[in-house]
Amino acid sequence: MQVKQKVYELYKGTVERVTAPRTVSAFLEKGVLSVPEFILAGDNLVAKCPTWSWEAGDPSKRKPYLPADKQFLVTRNVPCLRRAISVEEEYDAAGAEVVLDDDEDGEGWLATHGVQASKPEEEEDIPSMDTLDIGRSDGIKSIPSYFSGGKEEEEEEDIPDMDTYEDTGNNLAAAEPSYFVAEEPEDDNILHTRTYDVSITYDKYYQTPRVWLTGYDESRMPLKPELVFEDISQDHARKTVTIEDHPHLLAGKHASVHPCKHAAVMKKIIDVPMSGGVEPEVDKYLFIFLKFIATVIPTIEYDYTMDVDLGSTS
């Protein structure tokens, strides 16, 4: 598998070097983007979603057909609160899966964001106050009672007048104050949050955007590649998601959603509003694209502004 991938990458790199980048629009006809359209769509994403920004990347890996300061898009520290497989278990197998694209070999893109399974609502696992071993208190005490340690009397406390107070040089009695004492809850009740840096590059060979994932555990340590697959839809993990070198960064391996089907899927999505007389505008491409990518990484909560108007009525 690794040998096959290396041969493919060599072939793809050779084709990219000898082929000029797309400059003519084929957005509506094929679902692809030209380089100027990718930059236009990226500018709109950054303007509408400030969590995204353009990056220059490493100078040694700069693509000459892209502006030096707009090599790729990135959003950092994106939370991933749950593993993808736990979400998929909440959807019915029959009612929740929609094949977005299929070919003769049956290799299609499968959307897992369908109708939620009709499971009985389970009580949320929230620790009760009883499990926290909180020190008991008999209610709110008056200020003097905290220092005297004695019973609170119904009568008014006999507080000495400062004029009659004689300094004997002795310290006040060091009585233990009464306060709440709580122990840390069990580890099962602590939410361990993974985070991801999500980047979007322009793939010259496929003429579409391409998503890359860099994962970190709750201690901000890089995730091993096999752990990243836990946060990817199991219908796509190890099938349409691969571990490769980032085209603009030097360090480490990154998970990537392979773009071989992106254009076909985007064309099908674009055809839906067009059938209703609405022509999607090219600068909204990345919003549509990121909504589609959410079916692959359903628990990585990046921003793609779902309420954006996709186009105008023709």
Side-chain angles (χ1 to χ4, degrees):
M1 180 64 180
Q2 290 183 349
V3 174
K4 183 178 179 181
Q5 183 174 334
K6 288 185 179 296
V7 171
Y8 162 77
E9 289 175 357
L10 180 62
Y11 167 76
K12 181 173 177 287
T14 302
V15 173
E16 287 183 342
R17 282 193 294 272
V18 300
T19 305
R22 172 175 285 277
T23 56
V24 178
S25 177
F27 164 58
L28 298 177
E29 295 81 4
K30 298 180 179 179
V32 298
L33 283 182
S34 65
V35 171
E37 288 172 335
F38 174 71
I39 297 169
L40 177 66
D43 286 343
N44 196 30
L45 178 65
V46 171
K48 293 288 198 312
C49 304
T51 55
W52 289 90
S53 62
W54 283 107
E55 293 288 325
D58 189 271
S60 65
K61 305 186 79 172
R62 184 173 296 162
K63 310 300 180 186
Y65 50 85
L66 292 167
D69 60 341
K70 294 182 178 181
Q71 292 285 298
F72 68 101
L73 294 149
V74 67
T75 180
R76 293 186 171 87
N77 299 320
V78 179
C80 180
L81 304 180
R82 304 170 63 188
R83 307 290 70 82
I85 192 169
S86 68
V87 174
E88 292 178 359
E89 289 174 352
E90 296 177 2
Y91 290 82
D92 288 324
E97 299 177 348
V98 179
V99 177
L100 296 177
D101 184 39
D102 206 353
D103 54 23
E104 295 177 356
D105 300 325
E107 295 185 357
W109 290 91
L110 191 64
T112 57
H113 283 244
V115 180
Q116 190 170 4
S118 54
K119 291 186 179 181
E121 294 185 2
E122 298 180 359
E123 187 173 350
E124 203 170 347
D125 185 19
I126 300 174
S128 66
M129 295 298 288
D130 296 332
T131 63
L132 297 180
D133 194 20
I134 297 176
R136 294 175 182 171
S137 175
D138 294 329
I140 301 174
K141 297 183 178 181
S142 61
I143 293 175
S145 67
Y146 281 98
F147 294 94
S148 65
K151 270 187 184 177
E152 184 174 354
E153 299 177 354
E154 294 181 1
E155 301 176 5
E156 183 178 352
E157 297 284 349
D158 186 14
I159 302 174
D161 195 324
M162 290 301 292
D163 294 334
T164 63
Y165 175 72
E166 182 179 350
D167 187 0
T168 62
N170 296 327
N171 293 329
L172 291 173
E176 292 262 344
S178 174
Y179 50 83
F180 287 105
V181 178
E183 294 182 358
E184 290 187 3
E186 298 291 335
D187 287 344
D188 291 343
N189 295 322
I190 298 175
L191 183 64
H192 298 286
T193 305
R194 289 181 179 179
T195 56
Y196 278 87
D197 294 346
V198 182
S199 58
I200 304 173
T201 63
Y202 181 79
D203 193 289
K204 183 182 175 185
Y205 183 84
Y206 290 103
Q207 302 172 359
T208 64
R210 183 172 186 174
V211 167
W212 300 80
L213 305 170
T214 307
Y216 303 91
D217 64 18
E218 59 273 11
S219 301
R220 194 59 186 175
M221 297 298 292
L223 285 176
K224 295 179 180 179
E226 58 267 24
L227 295 179
V228 174
F229 284 109
E230 296 177 349
D231 298 320
I232 295 168
S233 163
Q234 297 306 293
D235 295 301
H236 301 101
R238 306 182 188 278
K239 178 181 176 183
T240 54
V241 175
T242 55
I243 305 296
E244 301 180 35
D245 294 325
H246 195 286
H248 297 284
L249 301 175
L250 290 177
K253 294 286 185 178
H254 305 256
S256 175
V257 184
H258 202 275
C260 58
K261 302 246 182 209
H262 285 5
V265 173
M266 289 299 295
K267 179 65 170 68
K268 287 181 178 293
I269 296 174
I270 291 168
D271 284 345
V272 174
M274 287 192 66
S275 64
V278 177
E279 183 175 302
E281 298 170 357
V282 71
D283 65 338
K284 308 296 194 309
Y285 186 103
L286 286 178
F287 297 106
I288 308 171
F289 174 76
L290 286 172
K291 189 171 183 180
F292 147 59
I293 291 295
T295 66
V296 184
I297 46 176
T299 57
I300 301 178
E301 301 177 2
Y302 56 82
D303 184 14
Y304 56 94
T305 312
M306 295 180 64
D307 59 350
V308 169
D309 183 13
L310 295 180
S312 57
T313 304
S314 58

